[in-house]
């Protein structure tokens, strides 16, 4: 993995978020490809916990939502309820082509498509699925955007 990317992430998390970043993963209807790449972030190769990032079991303890999959009709409410439970700043990342705009599943009677129809998105991470390095880069971009929001005061 790119160690420099990890060290950069740790420095940014320390400066902007006070030392740790807690992420809640939400699957709104993925094929699990993106989820496996997210899971790789915690394996011994990437091990992003050493850079101050951890995955949270509860949205109430999370700073960030990483959403995979287009929004299936059955999970629309779950996405909205999870988003409501996350404390501010509610940083949301759309992970993969499906979360961005429906991907291979498109928009159908069963699938509404991209998540930004339901929740505001900080960063879109393209790919089908995106590699773990792209996920780390996306997390970094979201932290940068959050810092801008803090400076603007909104
Ligand atoms: S973007 Fe690709 S890998 Fe990710 S959920 Fe959609 S089809 Fe699966």
């Amino acid at each position: 993995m790119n160690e420099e990317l990890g060290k950069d992430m740790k420095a940014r998390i320390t400066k902007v978020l006070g030392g740790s970043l807690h992420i809640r993963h939400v699957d709104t209807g993925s094929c699990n490809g993106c989820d496996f790449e997210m899971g790789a972030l915690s394996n011994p190769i990437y091990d992003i916990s050493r850079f101050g990032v951890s995955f949270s079991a509860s949205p109430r303890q999370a700073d960030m939502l990483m959403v995979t999959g287009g929004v299936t009709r059955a999970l629309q409410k779950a996405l909205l309820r999870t988003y409501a439970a996350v404390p501010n700043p509610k940083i949301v990342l759309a992970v993969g082509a499906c979360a961005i705009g429906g991907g291979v599943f498109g928009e159908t009677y069963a699938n509404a498509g991209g998540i930004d129809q339901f929740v505001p998105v900080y960063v879109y991470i393209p790919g089908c699925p995106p590699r773990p390095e792209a996920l780390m880069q996306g997390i970094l971009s979201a932290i940068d955007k959050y810092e801008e929001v803090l400076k603007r005061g909104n």
Side-chain angles (χ1 to χ4, degrees):
M1 71 166 286
N2 187 337
E3 287 291 322
E4 293 307 311
L5 192 56
K7 287 175 186 163
D8 198 12
M9 193 159 66
K10 184 172 187 177
R12 298 290 294 139
I13 288 171
T14 300
K15 179 171 183 267
V16 180
L17 289 155
S20 64
L21 171 68
H22 299 270
I23 298 171
R24 174 69 185 171
H25 171 215
V26 183
D27 174 359
T28 51
S30 84
C31 75
N32 285 151
C34 288
D35 311 65
F36 277 114
E37 298 302 313
M38 279 189 62
L41 292 173
S42 298
N43 73 19
I45 296 172
Y46 292 94
D47 188 20
I48 60 166
S49 63
R50 67 203 153 111
F51 303 124
V53 181
S54 62
F55 286 91
S56 173
S58 166
R60 297 187 197 286
Q61 297 158 357
D63 308 294
M64 175 182 285
L65 284 182
M66 290 181 78
V67 185
T68 56
V71 185
T72 55
R73 308 286 178 192
L75 287 167
Q76 284 179 19
K77 194 181 284 185
L79 174 62
L80 291 171
R81 289 181 66 183
T82 303
Y83 180 78
V86 175
N88 288 325
K90 294 182 190 278
I91 302 167
V92 178
L93 274 68
V95 177
C98 292
I100 292 172
V104 291
F105 301 106
E107 293 180 27
T108 67
Y109 72 95
N111 196 324
I115 68 166
D116 62 4
Q117 301 171 81
F118 302 97
V119 295
V121 173
Y122 266 59
V123 171
Y124 299 85
I125 306 175
C128 182
R131 289 182 53 81
E133 286 84 355
L135 299 177
M136 292 173 72
Q137 191 63 60
I139 292 169
L140 257 176
S141 299
I143 294 169
D144 288 346
K145 189 162 180 187
Y146 175 54
E147 189 177 35
E148 286 172 25
V149 170
L150 279 179
K151 283 180 184 161
R152 283 203 311 266
N154 59 13

